[in-house]
Amino acid sequence: MIFNLKTLALAAGLALASQAASAASFNFSGVVDFSPTASKLVGEFIAGQFSYDDQAALLAGPDGTVALQSLDLSFLGQTFHLAPGSDAYAQFEGGALVGPNAGFAGVAGGYLQLLSVWGSSGFSYSHHGADSLGSLTVSAVPEPSTWALSLVGLLGLGALARRRAQLG
């Protein structure tokens, strides 16, 4: 009976933990793959992370936008953070996340724009009339409840293996 109460308490705790998480977090990365007038930028990397409110995404509908709660990125040796009150947002199409949309001035003397539309994510960088372009790859960051559930599963397998070894 004690084992069943412990199991029930653990399951209830995991259920509550999974409900408490309301922010969806995503990583993105890319590389400059086209720059006709600034060839030295080809191959430069961009990487970052953004998050938005899951509940707001549900209300936005399948082809809506949701304001970003946070956005951090690194490009050309500089790190940038989303300014309070900025109009950055996540774009959805057909119910799927496409990526972030945001602009940053003062990036190595130029302007960096993250663009997500028509099913793809990318970025452009303009510096003194020279434009550079690249595509972004967006991937989900696992939530803590996902890690907790995986750990519980591994512990359960270990307990089962230990019990079989003791019985047999």
Side-chain angles (χ1 to χ4, degrees):
M1 185 68 173
I2 293 174
F3 177 74
N4 290 336
L5 288 176
K6 285 182 182 177
T7 304
L8 182 61
L10 181 62
L14 286 174
L16 288 173
S18 67
Q19 293 299 322
S22 66
S25 295
F26 294 85
N27 291 327
F28 63 90
S29 62
V31 64
V32 174
D33 50 23
F34 178 74
S35 186
T37 56
S39 60
K40 67 180 181 168
L41 291 176
V42 173
E44 288 289 338
F45 289 96
I46 183 172
Q49 185 175 40
F50 66 95
S51 66
Y52 58 83
D53 184 351
D54 264 343
Q55 298 303 318
L58 292 175
L59 297 174
D63 295 321
T65 61
V66 178
L68 295 182
Q69 291 178 330
S70 68
L71 186 142
D72 302 304
L73 67 87
S74 296
F75 183 61
L76 297 178
Q78 294 180 306
T79 301
F80 297 90
H81 308 286
L82 187 64
S86 117
D87 62 351
Y89 60 92
Q91 178 71 44
F92 292 85
E93 293 178 6
L97 173 68
V98 179
N101 287 281
F104 294 89
V107 178
Y111 186 78
L112 176 67
Q113 179 73 40
L114 304 178
L115 305 163
S116 298
V117 66
W118 299 308
S120 64
S121 264
F123 66 97
S124 66
Y125 175 68
S126 298
H127 184 262
H128 298 298
D131 292 331
S132 303
L133 304 172
S135 58
L136 292 176
T137 302
V138 179
S139 60
V141 175
E143 294 181 14
S145 60
T146 303
W147 290 106
L149 190 57
S150 298
L151 181 60
V152 168
L154 288 173
L155 290 173
L157 288 173
L160 183 63
R162 182 176 178 196
R163 184 173 179 170
R164 283 190 179 185
Q166 288 175 348
L167 293 176

